[in-house]
Amino acid sequence: MRFVVLLFGFVGILMTGALGVMLVAFELLLELSKEYTGGSLDFLRDSPTAIAHNDTALVLFLAAAYGMLGTIFGFLRCGKQGGVLLLVPVLFAAVMNPYTLAFTWMQAFAGLLSFFVSPLSLNAPAKDDDD
């Protein structure tokens, strides 16, 4: 299970960081697309929550950084702590702009899977003296 969290976590943080980069360059991308679409994408300039795209991009960069730390925690058998680090920043980004869930769902899925990673038991296995 730890390796599944590692795989989904790394792919998820890459997608979250890529969305942050896209939102930083969002105005430039819309200006470049005007000549191909004739300005039909101008409705994308408005955020559904009236929070600027650059502010959401900053939260997405932080979510990717915390996601990296959470993925490492999940791999090192600290599943609940890693799950919180993977899941909470994604939820904050979703509150700022719900459309970000299209890219951050994999990081949230890795956070949910990370809750199933448990630490090793404290009792070491005893040697059997029957031999």
Side-chain angles (χ1 to χ4, degrees), residues 1-13 67-84 86 106-118:
M1 182 60 91
R2 295 183 309 148
F3 295 103
V4 173
V5 170
L6 184 72
L7 175 71
F8 283 135
F10 280 139
V11 172
I13 61 171
M68 175 69 90
L69 187 62
T71 301
I72 292 170
F73 272 17
F75 184 70
L76 296 176
R77 294 192 181 266
C78 298
K80 291 177 182 44
Q81 295 88 348
V84 168
L86 281 161
M106 184 149 323
Q107 183 173 337
F109 182 64
L112 292 175
L113 286 179
S114 184
F115 284 113
F116 293 106
V117 174
S118 61

Side-chain angles (χ1 to χ4, degrees), residues 10-76:
F10 280 139
V11 172
I13 61 171
L14 288 175
M15 289 174 61
T16 303
L19 180 62
V21 169
M22 285 193 298
L23 284 180
V24 166
F26 193 66
E27 293 294 325
L28 177 65
L29 291 174
L30 282 179
E31 289 300 320
L32 290 175
S33 70
K34 267 189 180 180
E35 60 189 53
Y36 297 112
T37 61
S40 64
L41 296 177
D42 285 338
F43 69 95
L44 292 175
R45 289 187 195 275
D46 298 329
S47 174
T49 57
I51 297 174
H53 293 300
N54 290 336
D55 295 337
T56 307
L58 177 64
V59 171
L60 286 170
F61 289 140
L62 291 174
Y66 280 124
M68 175 69 90
L69 187 62
T71 301
I72 292 170
F73 272 17
F75 184 70
L76 296 176

